[in-house]
Amino acid sequence: MERLDEALDAWRHVLGADQVLVDEGTREAAERATFATTQRVPAVLRPGSREEVQTCLRIAQQLRVPVFPVSAGRNYGYGSRVPARTGCVLLELGRMNRVLEWDEELAYLTVEPGVTFAQAHAFLEERESALQLATIGGPPQASLVGNALERGDGSGPHGDIFQYVCDLEVVLPTGELLRTGLGRYPGAQAAAVQRWGPGPGLDGLFSQSNLGVVTRMTFWLAPRAACVRIVSAPLEQAEQLPEVVDRLRLLRLEGTLREAYSLWNDCKMLSVLGQYPWERMGGRTPLPPEVRAQLREEQGLGPWHLSFLLQAPSEEQAQAAWGRVEAVLKGVAPTLTCYREEEVEPEALRRVPSARNLRMMYWRQRTPPPAEPDPDRDGCGFLWLSCAVPMTGSHVERALAVAEPLPLQYGFEPNLCLLGVGARSAYLVVALVYDRKVEGEDARALACYHALHGAMNEAGYYPARLGIQAPVLAAPPGDDSGRVLGALKAAVDPHGILAPGRYLPFHFV
Ligand SMILES: Cc1cc2nc3c(=O)[nH]c(=O)nc-3n(C[C@H](O)[C@H](O)[C@H](O)COP(=O)(O)OP(=O)(O)OC[C@H]3O[C@@H](n4cnc5c(N)ncnc54)[C@H](O)[C@@H]3O)c2cc1C
């Protein structure tokens, strides 16, 4: 406690008292997520520059006070901005929100951690850029950097976001500074366009880790396609799914499909389109199969719904791509339809960051989502589990056999989605949606989450990213990586002050 007070004084000296927040309202908000948490946050720091981040970390290291960095702190379903361990001071980087470089010719954008998807999109629009940034289906106010560090996914040809970033500037927990690529050499001309410099590649070390605070990152952009088509199909039978997945893999591998496809089940569709039918259900949960079938019928949905974008530089290429898609998929998805840009609402193009999908967090709420959704404040119960599954029909079937029945056993709808972000693997993403105001639901949801997580791991389908609800895996890895990464952590963070418990160490000890 004494050390914390000393650190707070030192931070006030560096940042000014108004950027060291200790009031109850701020602290309580920082302790709240979309599921039950017990972590206490003694203060929130808001540095405004990389130099201030360095000084803040030196003070933390010297006085052994743990800090937890967030860029925008909208990591909904994975812990929002609540630290992995109690007692961490939140290092909130939202004030560092400058676009540092934009190059239309070489197609990249370099940003500070506080730059949001909405802001970056508006920046490019204002300059009439012909380039597009991968756009997530999540909050428009989420940050590019926080999302990329979590290895998030988005729309567009650069949807596997962390694959298309370079030249990270990182403040180590000691306050030292590091650049991951050529940027470390004075005057390097290709720093923003060449991922690797000579020597070991370091980028990956700082994603999903607690080895440093990233204060600058370059994102590669893709040209906006002249022609965009939206392809979608409700599957009439769940049994069609494995064959559809096998065909989609072919389209991804050969490059006809240059970006991720989504397969949403009926529960996920319903949760974005509306809210739980409380009246019809007389207040009972979860949704029984017959009501689920009725809702599907009423909304014109199938048990699964496929959608993806085809982007092409010319009308002829768009026609040819659609022809190929039809030839490959029509036999297994006869309802396949192709829409032109002008036939759909702009949100469906996924070019503009939109809050549309945030509605799903309000599925079990009794009142409609507010104009400015704040799921932490509004008591939305929401947990994500995203696991990597090889992109074959048989693997998807096996993974679904594990993931689908468990939510119902705990009283939740199986809200599922399969995202074909890569060409060889997909993410099976399960959302547990509930109302935190209902007594006992918080505990039940976490029990369900852990059961699901354990069962998926046991079947060999491991998570692609982790939330603070399970910050590390329960079982140790089968090699020496736990020890090696532990040694690395000790070398760069001698007193373990940076985001303790976030991803590293690898497992509970
Ligand atoms: C309905 C819904 C839809 C969603 N859709 C998507 C989607 O399409 N794609 C997707 O990827 N996610 C999605 N999400 C999940 C999540 O909201 C996003 O990933 C979001 O980008 C994360 O929040 P953030 O950018 O504010 O990151 P933050 O909360 O700021 O950061 C996330 C984590 O990264 C680390 N971190 C952050 N900044 C730094 C830094 N500067 N240095 C070191 N470590 C740092 C911390 O561990 C932190 O906990 C969705 C969520 C919801 C509820």
Side-chain angles (χ1 to χ4, degrees):
M1 204 60 193
E2 257 173 44
R3 286 204 151 155
L4 173 66
D5 289 338
E6 205 180 330
L8 288 171
D9 280 343
W11 285 324
R12 280 188 195 104
H13 187 69
V14 180
L15 305 179
D18 55 337
Q19 303 302 345
V20 180
L21 309 176
V22 292
D23 61 284
E24 211 177 303
T26 303
R27 286 189 284 113
E28 273 180 18
E31 291 164 357
R32 216 179 302 134
T34 56
F35 48 85
T37 53
T38 53
Q39 290 87 329
R40 292 283 164 257
V41 177
V44 176
L45 307 183
R46 304 189 71 236
S49 68
R50 184 251 288 161
E51 290 77 9
E52 287 186 357
V53 172
Q54 287 182 279
T55 315
C56 285
L57 289 187
R58 282 195 198 105
I59 293 166
Q61 194 69 239
Q62 194 187 341
L63 295 169
R64 324 274 198 266
V65 178
V67 295
F68 187 89
V70 295
S71 289
R74 286 178 170 79
N75 205 10
Y76 301 137
Y78 296 105
S80 303
R81 56 189 177 141
V82 178
R85 295 242 176 103
T86 196
C88 290
V89 169
L90 199 68
L91 190 68
E92 213 249 16
L93 304 169
R95 279 178 69 218
M96 297 174 64
N97 62 356
R98 288 176 305 158
V99 173
L100 301 171
E101 272 186 55
W102 163 56
D103 192 313
E104 184 74 7
E105 196 180 17
L106 288 166
Y108 68 83
L109 196 68
T110 303
V111 299
E112 290 187 320
V115 172
T116 65
F117 281 92
Q119 182 189 347
H121 177 77
F123 178 95
L124 294 173
E125 285 281 291
E126 277 159 24
R127 285 153 188 82
E128 296 183 357
S129 169
L131 303 168
Q132 59 175 324
L133 181 73
T135 301
I136 59 168
Q141 299 306 330
S143 67
L144 269 58
V145 169
N147 179 271
L149 290 176
E150 282 293 277
R151 296 191 215 119
D153 55 85
S155 62
H158 294 173
D160 193 356
I161 294 173
F162 198 71
Q163 302 274 16
Y164 299 94
V165 301
C166 74
D167 195 23
L168 279 57
E169 176 186 81
V170 190
V171 177
L172 296 180
T174 50
E176 292 164 288
L177 192 70
L178 188 142
R179 292 281 280 262
T180 59
L182 282 169
R184 71 176 65 119
Y185 299 107
Q189 298 296 315
V193 291
Q194 159 69 26
R195 194 162 195 196
W196 315 118
L202 299 180
D203 295 5
L205 278 181
F206 300 101
S207 67
Q208 298 197 355
S209 94
N210 58 6
L211 298 176
V213 176
V214 175
T215 47
R216 172 190 171 113
M217 199 188 271
T218 292
F219 289 79
W220 292 342
L221 308 173
R224 269 172 188 258
C227 294
V228 181
R229 299 276 194 279
I230 296 167
V231 179
S232 76
L235 305 190
E236 279 149 358
Q237 307 289 333
E239 291 68 33
Q240 288 165 260
L241 191 70
E243 187 60 38
V244 168
V245 168
D246 281 328
R247 307 276 178 112
L248 287 166
R249 183 188 65 250
L250 175 65
L251 292 171
R252 289 293 273 131
L253 279 171
E254 71 185 19
T256 304
L257 199 46
R258 291 178 59 225
E259 61 180 271
Y261 62 80
S262 309
L263 275 156
W264 288 14
N265 81 343
D266 52 349
C267 292
K268 172 136 175 149
M269 292 293 286
L270 290 167
S271 69
V272 170
L273 294 170
Q275 285 181 292
Y276 193 81
W278 288 112
E279 218 166 286
R280 188 185 303 198
M281 284 299 301
R284 280 165 295 117
T285 56
L287 216 52
E290 62 284 3
V291 180
R292 196 169 150 185
Q294 279 167 16
L295 291 173
R296 271 204 306 267
E297 178 83 25
E298 286 163 20
Q299 307 253 13
L301 302 173
W304 286 87
H305 189 95
L306 168 67
S307 70
F308 56 83
L309 297 187
L310 284 178
Q311 304 205 25
S314 71
E315 186 59 38
E316 293 72 28
Q317 282 159 298
Q319 280 295 352
W322 165 237
R324 174 68 183 149
V325 166
E326 253 194 317
V328 174
L329 277 178
K330 214 55 206 226
V332 291
T335 51
L336 204 66
T337 314
C338 182
Y339 300 95
R340 288 171 175 272
E341 250 178 294
E342 52 278 13
E343 293 174 288
V344 295
E345 50 181 83
E347 279 179 343
L349 290 168
R350 288 187 268 148
R351 274 180 171 167
V352 184
S354 155
R356 183 181 73 151
N357 292 352
L358 301 191
R359 287 187 213 144
M360 67 185 284
M361 289 190 284
Y362 291 78
W363 164 247
R364 287 272 192 106
Q365 298 296 301
R366 304 275 182 153
T367 50
E372 300 286 331
D374 179 345
D376 299 330
R377 176 201 61 198
D378 298 339
C380 300
F382 195 86
L383 287 147
W384 283 124
L385 178 66
S386 171
C387 292
V389 177
M391 203 190 287
T392 65
S394 58
H395 270 294
V396 166
E397 236 180 340
R398 213 179 306 159
L400 281 174
V402 178
E404 206 166 6
L406 270 165
L408 271 178
Q409 285 169 25
Y410 285 80
F412 307 107
E413 290 73 39
N415 186 314
L416 308 170
C417 149
L418 196 71
L419 273 181
V421 177
R424 295 167 183 81
S425 77
Y427 296 149
L428 175 58
V429 190
V430 187
L432 299 177
V433 193
Y434 65 101
D435 183 357
R436 294 201 62 204
K437 297 180 279 301
V438 176
E439 211 187 318
E441 292 264 281
D442 261 340
R444 204 140 44 88
L446 279 173
C448 178
Y449 179 90
H450 290 299
L452 202 55
H453 194 175
M456 289 297 279
N457 290 2
E458 207 156 293
Y461 303 117
Y462 286 93
R465 75 195 257 192
L466 296 170
I468 61 159
Q469 62 271 39
V472 289
L473 295 185
D479 66 354
D480 293 319
S481 51
R483 192 183 52 74
V484 172
L485 286 167
L488 196 58
K489 172 72 175 163
V492 298
D493 189 2
H495 300 296
I497 56 97
L498 188 66
R502 184 76 171 130
Y503 288 107
L504 294 173
F506 255 8
H507 64 98
F508 292 113
V509 278

